[in-house]
Amino acid sequence: MNQLIYMDNAATTRMSEKAFEKMKPYFLENYGNPSSVYQFASRGKAAVDEARETIAGLLGASANEIYFTAGGSESDNWAIKGVADSLKAKGKHIITSSIEHHAVLHTCEFLEKQGYEVTYLPVDENGKVSAEELLKAIRPDTILISIMFANNEIGTIQDIEVFGRIAKEHGILFHTDAVQAFGHVPIHVDEMHIDLLSASGHKFNGPKGVGFLYVRKGVRLTNLIHGGSQERAKRAGTTNVTGIVGMGEAAGEAGALMTERAEKIRTLRDHLMERVLAEIPYVKLNGSKTDRLPNNANFSFRFIEGESLLILLDQNGICASSGSACTSGSLDPSHVLLAIGLPHEIAHGSLRLTLSEENTMEEVDFVVDTLKKIVERLRNMSPLDEDFVKEQKKEK
Ligand SMILES: *Cc1c(COP(=O)(O)O)cnc(C)c1O
């Protein structure tokens, strides 16, 4: 097999061809600035309005609660810094979890330097935040709870509706980083009591560099980019018409196909998981078995360096990740794997495979067969493995 096998859809996805086609005329024909007054410009404006409607519809929100941004990181930064600033007279305490994306964690660390206090809730071995821990952390000066919908490394889905209700009962704003969840699992901002929600186009087959922030009507959020009057003057800058059109189309498609796509991907992923756990010794599945994104598989292989695994998989045309793409190049094990209680050496031997509906059963089988060979080869080279085998023999 010489073709490319892409199993890194948590890092980014291939663009939907329909979305790509829909973008094209807004580069070459309808290229007017939607803020201009002539009729020519209104074509772009109409397309942006349509995208806003589509996205709002998928969340059970209204179009005027959707603000377009340049992606998930920007949406997370804006939600947290925007609430922190607008409510600083009320309090300076924020609650989040220890397994958030760095776009949330590093924003919180930045705010700590500005005099805010942040509680980082622990998670259990499956990566779940508990409602009791959340309740214990709430203080009179808590202004924001930010807990991710689904984790980008281990795929664990949180009890968002429960946390949203707790936040609401305590009069605290609730933000969720739904970058891995939007377009993949059902979300309803009213039923789940979500006040702010981040998402990113390129995680659901839209283009890169475009995302949105849902902000519930009535929530006061300090403006992010000062300048023109785009996005109700809260996020200035000439509208990214092509990006928004592509993201809107991809969102519509993701919504319409959600159930059947998830079914197909889950079948592939479950087969992958079953085979890896049954056929490779000393392997552990990371993340929840039940509350899990349909496309995510994350394993730890003992006595193995995740980085070596990735290089050898790459030589076989397989794209995977050893944690989150953002941490590649760093030697620290993933903060998520440490938070679920993995010791450093086990966390180092981790592999994330995130599938899409474009993968096939043949690809899954090829990946497992290849993985088996690679793991065996690396273990034969590992001094840790030798020691372990000796220990085992002694015990017998
Ligand atoms: C990818 C990702 C982000 C960042 O989104 P960008 O659009 O790449 O900035 C934030 N949070 C989570 C959970 C992600 O998976």
Side-chain angles (χ1 to χ4, degrees):
M1 231 191 257
N2 278 325
Q3 88 266 29
L4 185 88
I5 299 181
Y6 188 75
M7 292 200 182
D8 202 16
N9 286 279
T12 198
T13 58
R14 189 167 99 94
M15 265 220 37
S16 140
E17 269 165 50
K18 258 175 83 185
F20 179 55
E21 288 304 323
K22 182 135 184 191
M23 288 168 77
K24 280 184 186 168
Y26 296 93
F27 286 106
L28 300 173
E29 293 152 37
N30 308 326
Y31 55 82
N33 186 326
S35 304
S36 303
V37 291
Y38 34 78
Q39 285 184 38
F40 171 58
S42 66
R43 297 181 197 168
K45 190 178 175 300
V48 168
D49 289 346
E50 187 193 324
R52 217 186 288 278
E53 290 284 348
T54 304
I55 287 168
L58 283 176
L59 292 170
S62 339
N64 60 11
E65 295 172 308
I66 304 298
Y67 294 82
F68 292 121
T69 66
S73 300
E74 182 181 312
S75 298
D76 285 341
N77 269 259
W78 187 14
I80 297 167
K81 290 176 193 167
V83 168
D85 186 69
S86 73
L87 293 185
K88 59 180 184 277
K90 185 179 173 217
K92 288 192 152 192
H93 180 237
I94 294 168
I95 300 172
T96 187
S97 86
S98 52
I99 61 163
E100 298 295 312
H101 190 274
H102 283 140
V104 167
L105 288 180
H106 292 171
T107 301
C108 287
E109 286 161 20
F110 165 81
L111 287 173
E112 284 181 289
K113 291 195 196 109
Q114 313 290 311
Y116 289 81
E117 282 180 76
V118 181
T119 301
Y120 300 90
L121 296 175
V123 292
D124 68 13
E125 70 277 11
N126 293 321
K128 298 273 289 193
V129 172
S130 91
E132 290 86 76
E133 295 277 356
L134 173 59
L135 280 165
K136 269 196 283 172
I138 291 175
R139 314 193 317 207
D141 61 341
T142 307
I143 50 171
L144 177 68
I145 296 169
S146 176
I147 295 173
M148 73 198 315
F149 206 109
N151 185 267
N152 46 304
E153 295 189 38
I154 56 174
T156 300
I157 298 175
Q158 302 293 342
D159 301 329
I160 291 301
E161 193 258 309
V162 174
F163 303 156
R165 189 195 311 262
I166 291 174
K168 190 176 177 187
E169 281 167 3
H170 289 79
I172 300 166
L173 291 177
F174 181 54
H175 166 249
T176 185
D177 173 343
V179 174
Q180 290 292 334
F182 181 82
H184 300 278
V185 295
I187 303 177
H188 195 288
V189 289
D190 287 344
E191 286 168 11
M192 296 175 168
H193 316 292
I194 296 166
D195 296 307
L196 302 114
L197 176 144
S198 307
S200 175
H202 76 104
K203 301 289 177 80
F204 54 90
N205 309 96
K208 293 169 181 59
V210 63
F212 69 86
L213 181 66
Y214 157 80
V215 184
R216 179 176 294 282
K217 188 169 181 283
V219 169
R220 295 230 326 272
L221 192 67
T222 301
N223 297 355
L224 177 68
I225 296 182
H226 306 275
S229 61
Q230 293 89 356
E231 302 305 303
R232 285 173 290 281
K234 291 192 155 300
R235 199 277 184 189
T238 298
T239 310
N240 176 3
V241 177
T242 50
I244 292 165
V245 165
M247 175 168 68
E249 182 67 19
E253 234 179 275
L257 302 175
M258 190 181 290
T259 316
E260 59 182 273
R261 268 187 187 169
E263 270 306 303
K264 184 171 178 228
I265 298 170
R266 188 179 286 113
T267 305
L268 294 168
R269 192 274 317 268
D270 287 352
H271 180 68
L272 173 89
M273 262 173 10
E274 278 161 26
R275 276 202 63 196
V276 168
L277 296 175
E279 297 177 33
I280 303 183
Y282 304 114
V283 58
K284 178 190 177 307
L285 177 74
N286 296 316
S288 169
K289 282 206 176 67
T290 46
D291 302 331
R292 184 178 199 110
L293 288 173
N295 75 349
N296 176 291
N298 189 308
F299 307 102
S300 288
F301 299 93
R302 282 180 76 167
F303 323 116
I304 284 194
E305 284 288 337
E307 293 300 307
S308 324
L309 208 54
L310 288 190
I311 293 165
L312 294 176
L313 285 171
D314 186 30
Q315 286 176 3
N316 287 276
I318 300 164
C319 304
S321 166
S322 64
S324 106
C326 324
T327 54
S328 298
S330 126
L331 287 175
D332 294 334
S334 132
H335 65 283
V336 176
L337 298 177
L338 296 181
I340 60 171
L342 295 193
H344 277 240
E345 69 275 15
I346 307 260
H348 267 303
S350 298
L351 176 73
R352 178 186 74 184
L353 296 161
T354 42
L355 283 63
S356 80
E357 62 164 352
E358 297 195 354
N359 291 125
T360 62
M361 233 7 143
E362 290 71 39
E363 286 183 341
V364 169
D365 282 323
F366 176 76
V367 168
V368 179
D369 293 341
T370 309
L371 196 54
K372 274 169 79 173
K373 284 182 220 150
I374 293 174
V375 167
E376 200 178 299
R377 191 172 139 204
L378 288 171
R379 281 185 179 157
N380 283 337
M381 290 162 29
S382 162
L384 287 168
D385 197 10
E386 270 170 39
D387 291 347
F388 182 77
V389 172
K390 273 185 218 150
E391 282 295 314
Q392 293 265 303
K393 280 187 183 145
K394 257 188 257 164
E395 279 170 23
K396 282 180 191 163

